[in-house]
Amino acid sequence: MRKTTKLMTGIVAALAISAGGVMAGGHLNKIGERQKAMKAVGGGIKVLVGIAKGQTAFDPDVVKKAALTIKANLNATKSLFPEGTGPDSGVKTRAKDEIWLDMEGFQTAMKTAIAAADNMAGVTEQSAFMPALGKVGAGCKACHEKYRAPKQ
Amino acid sequence: MKKKIAILVAALGIAGAVAFYFISGPNPLDETAISTQIASHKVDLKNGQILYNAGGCISCHRPAKGVKAQNLPSGGAVLKTPVGLFFPPNITPDEKTGIGRWSSLQFLNAMKRGLSPEGKHYFPAFPYTSYTHMSVGDLLDLQAYLNTLKPVDASENKKTSLFGEDLLRRGVGGWKWLGLQTNEFEPQPSQSAGWNRGAYLVTGPGHCSECHTPRNFLMVSDYSRILQGGPHPEGKGKVPSLVGLVKRKKFKDIEDLNSALRFGEIMGYEDISSGGMGEVQTNMSKLPDSDTRAIAEYILSFK
């Protein structure tokens, strides 16, 4: 009985410590994770812009793939902005305080952009492509304008 | 001896105060010289609208969140500056709370001299420091365009209230006397028409230097280092340099930069959204293509 109590305490303590470790480490890791996801979003946009500029031909399958990359990665970032990962976290980030001052507005901007990517994924006609791209771009811009600091 | 010094110091103090009083007083436009220009001007509303967009008036004079007509410059949204919080006023033609009853001369004095109809100094958070370089004709067209907008009653707006505001405004007068250059833009005959148009839009209405040009010790744009990047006017962070954009592989050519100014993130240009630049770009997307192209030509001439 005594032994099991000790063992239990030991396990609980170990769990608590490792959980704390994951919290602290994972917490700041989230900054790197979301930057990686945003880079992938940027990669998706490049493919679409290539089509818009006429550098590559319009192909619904390529459009769909790029749009779904954008959608999936934006979705992934939703949970990657926990409290304490802003400009004062000590890790280099362009996320502005405004995100946590106005989390509702931030998540709304996220939803709008995701919906625009979703809409793009369904584009099969070339005539619908530019208007759809306008919506996606406006989605990125609306959020970066308010919630992301300049590069420098 | 001590007494003499005390008297001298007091005298200097009074002289200084008197000098400050005169220096910090209003320095309006010469009414007789300008009234003939006003009288002979033929209004071009289309031009006024271009200048409204180039000037980005809506970026600062937008209404607070929640007000319905977000596209009218009825003021009230907060503008953060190192001096404090500003609530830019209503510039729709409402007679009571806007500028509908302003004379041409009053409007010109605001835009070219930073002076209110009562002779008070505006803070340079209102970029008259750039608008002063605009031509009288363009400013009259701009005023005429503003007067075609729907008047909005802004009596509910928050108003700017700074600590020691009256004295600070006199201080702005002193600062203007020291540093404000009010020369009108002059084209350079050796350059192309496009370059000159771009230079005018960037220097005057576009007020790009307010963010992209570093400031000297008087806190005015240091044009000897034009567009080399500066501190952000809101007090935090930096604004990038616009010199050597092609060499630094930011943009390929005039066409490429023009496309960035017109379309921004819609065409994947990603470094043109944050820190207030997104609003500037939105405003520029409303300009004629020839104007954004001219801006691109001028900026890329800084190799």
Side-chain angles (χ1 to χ4, degrees), chain A residues 34-35 37-39 41-42 74 81 86-87 92-100 106 109 137 139-152, chain B residues 232 234 236-238 264-265 268-279:
Chain A
R34 73 190 179 214
Q35 288 169 345
M38 275 297 171
K39 276 206 184 90
V41 173
L74 282 181
F81 289 92
K92 206 168 170 209
T93 172
R94 290 168 71 186
K96 279 171 68 171
D97 281 329
E98 273 74 2
I99 293 175
W100 294 276
F106 180 74
C140 318
K141 177 175 168 180
C143 185
H144 293 159
E145 200 164 51
K146 262 192 173 159
Y147 303 105
R148 189 185 70 173
K151 204 171 209 161
Q152 282 199 333
Chain B
H232 200 282
E234 287 190 7
K236 252 204 235 162
K238 279 196 201 142
E265 287 213 25
Y269 297 97
E270 200 244 311
D271 296 336
I272 199 156
S273 287
S274 304
M277 191 59 211
E279 286 170 56

Side-chain angles (χ1 to χ4, degrees), chain B residues 88-210:
Chain B
N90 180 9
I91 55 169
T92 71
D94 186 50
E95 301 220 333
K96 273 215 304 274
T97 64
I99 60 172
R101 288 160 80 112
W102 283 26
S103 68
S104 303
L105 185 65
Q106 284 171 334
F107 185 74
L108 290 171
N109 266 318
M111 301 296 286
K112 274 187 160 294
R113 290 289 189 274
L115 283 176
S116 80
E118 301 81 37
K120 273 197 186 173
H121 296 291
Y122 292 123
F123 285 92
F126 167 22
Y128 57 82
T129 36
S130 294
Y131 300 148
T132 182
H133 304 306
M134 291 172 71
S135 73
V136 169
D138 276 355
L139 286 167
L140 292 173
D141 289 345
L142 173 57
Q143 183 184 26
Y145 174 73
L146 286 172
N147 281 336
T148 65
L149 299 177
K150 196 167 151 251
V152 178
D153 179 342
S155 32
E156 303 285 301
N157 278 9
K158 279 197 189 150
K159 298 217 162 52
T160 307
S161 157
L162 305 169
F163 182 75
E165 189 169 322
D166 284 341
L167 192 65
L168 279 177
R169 286 191 190 276
R170 288 307 291 219
V172 168
W175 169 81
K176 281 184 189 169
W177 184 81
L178 284 168
L180 182 65
Q181 286 167 8
T182 55
N183 56 308
E184 213 162 286
F185 173 82
E186 276 186 38
Q188 290 193 20
S190 62
Q191 299 281 1
S192 73
W195 187 95
N196 275 306
R197 175 68 177 163
Y200 176 69
L201 290 170
V202 164
T203 318
H207 66 282
C208 316
S209 275
E210 302 289 340

Side-chain angles (χ1 to χ4, degrees), chain A residues 19-42:
Chain A
V22 169
M23 289 279 288
H27 190 65
L28 294 179
N29 277 347
K30 296 224 153 85
I31 297 178
E33 278 175 44
R34 73 190 179 214
Q35 288 169 345
K36 216 170 120 195
M38 275 297 171
K39 276 206 184 90
V41 173

Side-chain angles (χ1 to χ4, degrees), chain B residues 7-50:
Chain B
I7 291 171
L8 189 68
V9 169
L12 278 176
I14 292 169
V18 170
F20 178 74
Y21 183 81
F22 282 107
I23 287 169
S24 68
N27 174 26
L29 293 163
D30 181 350
E31 194 175 337
T32 41
I34 215 138
S35 54
T36 42
Q37 265 194 80
I38 294 174
S40 64
H41 182 69
K42 271 210 194 73
V43 165
D44 178 348
L45 283 177
K46 197 129 201 264
N47 184 41
Q49 182 178 28
I50 289 173

